[in-house]
């Protein structure tokens, strides 16, 4: 048997070794300083209870197998574990500040490729490559530093006196933390609670997504009854989602001031064209992203705040909004310029026709990850509707994308809509400014500009190109990411209903919508899941 090194016992240098190990532990604790509070990202100065627990277990093991910790392997394994915990802790701390919601590993890890593609398209290959090299280098440096620290700590713990002292000291600290009130705990426990939350969420998601899993109670409820929609008078209906259009644009003073002119011009143009307008607020099931959860919540009458519920909904056979329109005699089409690779699940929506990015046929300059500018999408929607003929009426769902993060580049609005597929009328010297890299530390100006662009597009479309008395519903899908408007805002989005036929807007006003473009209602607000049953009932034939 290899004798256990006893240099820490016999040499006067053991004090220095212990001090080095202690200093190293302080550096490890610094890895876990970031924390989150309702107000945003903070520094948690209390030592990490999770690190203390790990050191406690290592010290206990060192008492039994001291020779094992002289090897390099344990130090390397602990270094990798420590860096992984630090990265998870940082992601948990930063996500609410950036997106306004908690990190969801099951959900967010699946969308990393799309996120990478979005950043690559926006920032460019060289910038992304440089950032990736720096990030990889920083992680490797953290692993190397952590390895060096653990080597010092493990060698120190081969001294039984040090190991026993560590076990006693940390055992007391952990016991006090376990039984003390949260505000009096000597050790922080945020990382451990987040790990438990992730484990529970992953277990639940995997169980619900597995074959033969039980139907969640929320999906087992009865769908709203059929409606003949006679109150719509056989008119076309347009449901238009404006990406990241949240009520923060009305509730944040500087946002409200920036958009005031654009919204006033939009409302004025519509009123001059004979429109009646009413507005309200709805509570979205998601914040900062996950648009499809909002779309499906409104279409199903079920609050879908979990991507697993969304998948189960599409596999449940439950009738969605397009199905109700088809039952009442409407045709139903869906226009999704942001969908590049359609999912087979999309058929469960029940549309007669689904038009995705490739079928739109856009060949102009690419405006970010989603490429297709909203003006072109709306122009194509007009052409597609015209080609369908006047009878029977059509329900059209359109999902706009130009106001998607990073809100850049913002397409220029074109007075000549015939040029919306080529942009040949845009001066050559204007393109440098259009494609200027966004300031990633200050995205709000681009966010507001993208909404101004959309309201310019929608204002012209509704006042100049739409000649019939259709019912048009404009609404946001979710608030913008918290990096834009903050994480403390309500999860509410504006909804505007408008038509040249006041009878089509009257049921909404009777339900509490206010006249005009500004939704002034005070909370509480109804969730998006309440829209479908109330809409079907409002336009059903009496009796």
């Amino acid at each position: 048997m290899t004798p256990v090194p006893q240099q820490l016992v016999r040499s006067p240098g053991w004090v220095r070794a212990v001090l080095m190990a202690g200093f190293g532990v302080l550096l490890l604790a610094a890895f876990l300083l970031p924390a989150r509070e309702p107000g945003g990202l903070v520094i948690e100065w209390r030592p990490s209870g999770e690190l203390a627990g790990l050191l406690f277990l290592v010290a206990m093991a060192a008492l039994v197998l001291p020779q094992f910790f002289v090897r390099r392997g344990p130090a390397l394994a602990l270094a990798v574990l420590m860096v992984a915990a630090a990265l998870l802790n940082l992601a948990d701390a930063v996500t609410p500040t950036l997106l306004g919601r908690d990190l969801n590993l099951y959900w967010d890890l699946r969308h990393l490729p799309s996120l990478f593609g979005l950043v690559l398209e926006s920032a460019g290959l060289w910038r992304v490559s440089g950032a990736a090299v720096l990030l990889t280098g920083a992680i490797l440096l953290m692993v190397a530093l952590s390895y060096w620290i653990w080597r010092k700590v493990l060698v120190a713990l081969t001294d039984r006196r040090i190991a026993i002292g560590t076990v006693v000291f940390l055992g007391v600290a952990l016991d006090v933390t376990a039984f003390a009130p949260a505000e009096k705990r000597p050790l922080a426990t945020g990382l451990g609670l987040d790990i438990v939350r992730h484990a529970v969420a992953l277990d639940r998601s995997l169980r619900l997504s597995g074959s033969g899993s039980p139907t969640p109670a929320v999906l087992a409820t009865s769908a709203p009854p059929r409606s003949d929609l006679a109150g719509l008078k056989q008119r076309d209906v347009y449901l238009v989602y404006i990406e990241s259009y949240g009520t923060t644009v009305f509730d944040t003073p500087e946002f409200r001031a920036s958009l005031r002119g654009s919204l006033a011009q939009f409302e004025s143009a519509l009123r001059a064209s004979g429109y009646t307008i009413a507005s309200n607020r709805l509570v979205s099931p998601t914040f900062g992203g996950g648009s499809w959860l909002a779309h499906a919540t409104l279409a199903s009458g079920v609050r879908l705040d979990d991507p697993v519920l969304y998948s189960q909904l599409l596999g449940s056979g439950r009738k969605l909004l397009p199905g109700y329109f088809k039952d009442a005699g409407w045709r139903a089409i869906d226009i999704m310029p942001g969908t590049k690779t359609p999912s087979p699940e999309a058929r469960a929506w029940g549309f007669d026709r689904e038009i995705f990015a490739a079928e739109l046929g856009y060949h102009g300059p690419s405006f970010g990850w989603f490429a297709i500018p909203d003006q072109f999408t709306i122009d194509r929607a007009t052409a597609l509707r015209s080609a369908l003929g006047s009878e029977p009426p059509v329900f059209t769902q359109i999902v706009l994308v130009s106001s998607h993060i990073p809100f850049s580049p913002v397409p220029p609005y074109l007075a000549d809509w015939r040029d919306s597929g080529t942009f040949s009328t845009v001066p050559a010297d204007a393109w440098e400014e259009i494609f200027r890299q966004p300031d990633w530390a200050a995205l709000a100006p681009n966010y507001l500009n993208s909404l101004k662009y959309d309201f310019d597009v929608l204002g012209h479309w509704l006042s100049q190109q739409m000649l019939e008395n259709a019912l048009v519903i404009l609404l946001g899908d979710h608030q913008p990411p918290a990096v834009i408007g903050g994480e403390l805002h309500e999860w509410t989005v504006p909804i505007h209903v408008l038509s040249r036929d006041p009878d089509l807007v009257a049921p909404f006003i009777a339900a509490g919508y206010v006249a005009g473009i500004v939704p002034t209602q005070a909370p509480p607000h109804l969730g998006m899941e309440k829209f479908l049953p109330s809409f079907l009932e409002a336009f059903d034939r009496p009796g």
Side-chain angles (χ1 to χ4, degrees):
M1 177 180 295
T2 303
V4 176
Q6 297 294 321
Q7 67 270 25
L8 292 181
V9 179
R10 298 175 180 174
S11 170
W14 73 273
V15 175
R16 178 175 178 274
V18 170
L19 291 176
M20 287 291 291
F23 175 70
V25 170
L26 291 178
L27 290 179
L28 291 179
F31 284 9
L32 303 175
L33 285 178
R36 56 176 177 153
E37 287 185 357
L41 185 66
V42 297
I43 297 299
E44 174 58 81
W45 293 107
R46 290 179 300 170
S48 164
E50 296 73 32
L51 176 59
L54 179 61
L55 284 168
F56 176 82
L57 294 176
V58 170
M60 289 284 288
L63 288 172
V64 180
L65 294 170
Q67 68 276 14
F68 177 73
F69 291 99
V70 178
R71 304 169 185 168
R72 291 185 174 88
L76 180 59
L78 288 168
V80 172
L81 177 63
M82 190 69 214
V83 172
L87 293 175
L88 176 62
N89 180 70
L90 181 62
D92 273 317
V94 169
T95 298
T97 301
L98 294 178
L99 299 180
R101 60 170 176 82
D102 290 337
L103 179 68
N104 184 322
L105 290 178
Y106 180 84
W107 179 359
D108 294 324
L109 288 177
R110 296 167 61 190
H111 292 91
L112 278 181
S114 296
L115 178 62
F116 179 78
L118 186 151
V119 174
L120 180 63
E121 185 71 31
S122 301
L125 177 62
W126 290 109
R127 288 184 176 86
V128 172
S129 299
V133 168
L134 290 176
L135 178 61
T136 302
I139 292 175
L140 292 176
L141 184 61
M142 288 177 65
V143 172
L145 176 60
S146 183
Y147 171 76
W148 178 83
I149 292 170
W150 279 112
R151 288 286 290 167
K152 299 293 183 183
V153 170
L154 295 181
V155 168
L157 288 176
T158 58
D159 187 308
R160 290 186 59 82
R161 294 172 299 176
I162 297 173
I164 291 172
T166 301
V167 167
V168 172
F169 176 74
L170 292 179
V172 171
L174 290 168
D175 279 343
V176 172
T177 299
F179 295 102
E183 66 276 6
K184 294 184 179 180
R185 291 172 183 166
L187 301 175
T189 58
L191 175 59
L193 295 175
D194 282 334
I195 291 174
V196 170
R197 176 176 61 82
H198 287 304
V200 171
L202 281 171
D203 176 68
R204 174 180 177 274
S205 298
L206 292 173
R207 282 190 292 105
L208 289 179
S209 60
S211 59
S213 58
T215 301
V218 69
L219 293 180
T221 58
S222 299
R226 183 183 184 278
S227 170
D228 61 15
L229 300 178
L232 290 174
K233 304 179 181 180
Q234 292 289 297
R235 302 281 173 69
D236 282 355
V237 177
Y238 290 87
L239 177 62
V240 183
Y241 286 98
I242 304 173
E243 170 66 34
S244 299
Y245 178 42
T247 53
T248 185
V249 303
F250 297 103
D251 299 336
T252 303
E254 55 268 34
F255 292 178
R256 184 170 62 246
S258 178
L259 283 178
R260 182 178 292 119
S262 181
L263 291 174
Q265 182 179 354
F266 173 80
E267 183 174 3
S268 176
L270 265 58
R271 290 197 182 281
S273 299
Y275 281 92
T276 299
I277 309 169
S279 301
N280 206 339
R281 299 176 180 225
L282 296 176
V283 180
S284 174
T286 183
F287 191 109
S291 305
W292 60 94
L293 298 179
H295 304 164
T297 291
L298 186 134
S300 67
V302 176
R303 179 176 174 82
L304 303 172
D305 53 5
D306 186 319
V308 177
L309 286 178
Y310 173 80
S311 297
Q312 289 199 316
L313 168 74
L314 296 187
S316 69
R318 188 184 182 97
K319 186 186 299 182
L320 303 181
L321 181 57
Y324 286 97
F325 271 104
K326 288 169 64 177
D327 286 349
W330 271 254
R331 292 167 289 179
I333 64 173
D334 186 26
I335 301 176
M336 298 275 288
T339 301
K340 300 180 180 182
T341 306
S343 166
E345 294 178 327
R347 298 173 184 171
W349 277 80
F351 287 101
D352 292 309
R353 183 181 177 188
E354 292 166 321
I355 300 160
F356 302 114
E359 192 175 350
L360 283 173
Y362 178 70
H363 302 293
S366 176
F367 290 93
W369 170 243
F370 294 106
I372 304 175
D374 288 343
Q375 187 173 8
F376 178 84
T377 297
I378 292 294
D379 191 52
R380 289 288 293 131
T382 302
L384 288 164
R385 174 62 190 94
S386 178
L388 290 174
S390 58
E391 297 293 338
V394 178
F395 165 65
T396 305
Q397 176 174 285
I398 306 173
V399 180
L400 302 180
V401 296
S402 291
S403 53
H404 194 287
I405 193 170
F407 319 110
S408 176
V410 178
Y413 175 75
L414 302 174
D416 184 358
W417 280 59
R418 294 171 299 179
D419 190 34
S420 62
T422 60
F423 289 82
S424 60
T425 58
V426 177
D429 57 0
W431 289 107
E432 182 178 354
E433 180 62 29
I434 292 170
F435 283 102
R436 184 183 299 277
Q437 283 294 315
D439 181 354
W440 292 87
L443 293 175
N446 283 348
Y447 168 65
L448 296 171
N449 287 336
S450 69
L451 290 178
K452 292 175 183 177
Y453 163 76
D454 267 342
F455 278 103
D456 284 346
V457 169
L458 292 169
H460 184 277
W461 174 54
L462 294 169
S463 62
Q464 303 297 321
Q465 297 187 24
M466 186 173 293
L467 303 179
E468 68 272 13
N469 293 332
L471 172 64
V472 180
I473 303 168
L474 309 175
L475 75 158
D477 46 12
H478 51 70
Q479 295 270 32
V483 70
I484 300 296
E487 62 177 291
L488 299 181
H489 283 283
E490 292 184 317
W491 289 27
T492 46
V493 296
I495 178 170
H496 314 294
V497 293
L498 44 120
S499 177
R500 289 189 174 97
D501 183 349
D503 291 345
L504 302 187
V505 180
F508 295 96
I509 294 177
Y513 284 56
V514 296
I517 197 69
V518 180
T520 57
Q521 295 89 340
H525 307 291
L526 295 178
M528 278 187 169
E529 66 275 11
K530 301 298 183 182
F531 177 88
L532 177 64
S534 61
F535 177 80
L536 296 175
E537 181 180 1
F539 289 99
D540 193 27
R541 190 190 311 273

